[in-house]
Amino acid sequence: MIKMVQLLLREEGLSHEEFKARWTGEHAEIAGQLPNLRKYVTSTPRDPEKASYDGIVELYFDSTEELAAAFESPEGERVQADATEFVDLEASPSLVVEETVQFDHIS
């Protein structure tokens, strides 16, 4: 399983609550349409005033090829265009990782 992880910073002029509402509402609906997306997880800090980032997004795909194809698709272009309206993408680092679950007490 391949996962893209991005640490998100909101655009200047938006409150954390405005950012969160847009990200977990309208934007999540758009992102959910990415081709081959297996799982989409958003996490927000419990105390945003003390956090370095406004959120973390995790996008799961079966391969790096599927991840690349998703963002090259019309849906991927729409996701990226929408994100520029509320995320400071240049200040939001991302990683593509291969997830290895060491243990899982939730399942």
Side-chain angles (χ1 to χ4, degrees), residues 16-59:
H16 175 77
E17 290 307 315
E18 290 169 326
F19 164 85
K20 184 177 173 181
R22 173 71 183 275
W23 180 40
T24 60
E26 181 181 339
H27 185 76
E29 291 176 21
I30 296 169
Q33 298 172 16
L34 284 168
N36 303 310
L37 180 64
R38 305 273 293 180
K39 185 176 177 181
Y40 177 73
V41 178
T42 60
S43 302
T44 55
R46 295 188 72 184
D47 188 350
E49 296 301 317
K50 294 182 180 177
S52 298
Y53 294 95
D54 292 286
I56 301 169
V57 64
E58 298 170 275
L59 302 162

Side-chain angles (χ1 to χ4, degrees), residues 6-12 14 19 53-54 83-93:
Q6 190 168 23
L7 304 170
L8 303 178
L9 281 172
R10 68 185 182 270
E11 274 292 339
E12 186 113 4
L14 286 179
F19 164 85
Y53 294 95
D54 292 286
T84 64
E85 296 181 12
F86 66 98
V87 178
D88 182 347
L89 292 174
E90 289 195 22
S92 298

Side-chain angles (χ1 to χ4, degrees), residues 3-4 9 14 29 31 35-36 54 64 73 75 85 99-100:
K3 177 169 64 171
M4 185 182 100
L9 281 172
L14 286 179
E29 291 176 21
N36 303 310
D54 292 286
T64 54
S73 71
E75 296 88 351
E85 296 181 12
E99 181 177 77
T100 303

